[in-house]
Amino acid sequence: MKKTVSLFAAALLCIASLRAEDFIPAPPEKVNIPDTCVSLLDFGGVPDGVTLNTEAFQKAVSALAKKGGGHLIVPEGVFLTGPISLKDCMDLHLESGAVILMSPDKRDFLDGGSVRPGISASKRHDVSISGDGIIDGNGEWWRPAKRSKNSDTEWKELLRKGGTVTEDGSLWYPFALRNFPDIAPSPKAQESLRTHLVRFTSCERVRVSGVTLQNSPKFHLVPRYCTDVTIEGVQVRCPWNAQNGDGIDIMQCRRVLVTGCRVDVGDDGICLKGGVGKAAAQGCPCKDILIENNIVFRAHGGFVMGSEISGGMQDIVVRHNTFSGTDTGLRFKSAPERGGKTSGIWISDINMTGIKGEAIVFQTDYADRPAGHDDNVAPDTENFLPEFADFHISGIRCSDCATAIRAKGRPSMVHDIRVSDSVFFFTERDCDIDHPGMVELSGVVFKTY
């Protein structure tokens, strides 16, 4: 019996000493794209920034699909367009100087009662976006804006477009604009139709490489329910005050690599989402994900989980990333009805500077607050409770934050969190933790003025 206990203790000691370097999730399979190439210009593409190229893209995609797939080349120039839908074994390649600019006319994206993403693929395999060009969502024609987050000059620019300001003057909607018609009967109804810039749904083998994604109506890059996803060397950018301007949102995907990206956005930087409630819990978790060698500048969080995690988070490695100027560094947020369980979360060697709030934060009462809607509160329920557990966090170097570590919730919601071999310089508090034992510290140094 004593020997068994000793072996168990040794195993626990071994696990505690492991870092993200010691656990590597299963890598994604590579996309398979044929060598065939066609140019958008051959299908009537006009790179003048004024002519609508939606039909040219449709013709080019159809022609390439008939050839069994290949590369759709977008040359230098500005190509105004409506939605683009990719097919199997297809790479949308933007050459240097190429800009795909989404139309500011919301009608171009209407599909029945919903709105299509700028670029999408659904139930496809081997799909890719690559190159040195830019994909611009023209999001300022879609997003509401808060008065408190805009200077006087910026606010005047918004008003020149027309639009609708709430009675209290706190919020501007791109509704009743001077130059473009509405697609819904009210500002709030139109706000709910905002869509993503690039979205892949239920696809196998996806790659996004090299391109710049900017100025989305909502989230910029969203793979959801996909397997084998590679995101490398991508830049994602939008104004710091862009409403719901998430950078990279990975939703219930398996085998994902995010590496060498630069993110500077108005909401969460690199985020994992696991869905809400029963349907999500019956689906696949976020699993076998490696996020490394990225830089996040302005964002609500550098690396984020949630708030939807009902499907679970398993075998996640986050290492060698830098967060510079984010509101929070490592942010884990959820609430009843949207919670789920995590396991095997390995985070190491994270550099943080200029963190406005917490370097590490666990929040279990998160409330979703869409612009213009009444503040919501976390529901009073025992269904789908958050359970943040089995976190191994080490090698954090934070030179400036308000609070180093914050953990809020019941002990059953936040537990088995280990933070080791890290240094935090804080200006307000070292730790703000609801219950003893929620977070285990080892070799952690806190410094302040």
Side-chain angles (χ1 to χ4, degrees), residues 357-374:
E358 302 91 350
I360 302 173
V361 57
F362 293 88
Q363 181 184 3
T364 58
D365 62 350
Y366 179 82
D368 189 22
R369 297 180 176 88
H373 292 256
D374 294 335

Side-chain angles (χ1 to χ4, degrees), residues 23-40:
F23 175 81
I24 305 297
E29 295 180 9
K30 295 182 179 180
V31 297
N32 182 19
I33 308 293
D35 293 333
T36 304
C37 294
V38 300
S39 172
L40 184 65

Side-chain angles (χ1 to χ4, degrees), residues 284-328:
C284 68
C286 279
K287 181 175 172 60
D288 291 328
I289 296 175
L290 174 58
I291 297 171
E292 64 177 356
N293 300 321
N294 304 287
I295 299 176
V296 181
F297 297 98
R298 291 297 292 262
H300 287 185
F303 170 69
V304 181
M305 283 186 183
S307 62
E308 311 94 317
I309 62 170
S310 296
M313 305 279 165
Q314 300 175 18
D315 301 336
I316 313 295
V317 173
V318 181
R319 64 185 187 184
H320 301 297
N321 297 287
T322 299
F323 308 146
S324 181
T326 57
D327 292 348
T328 59

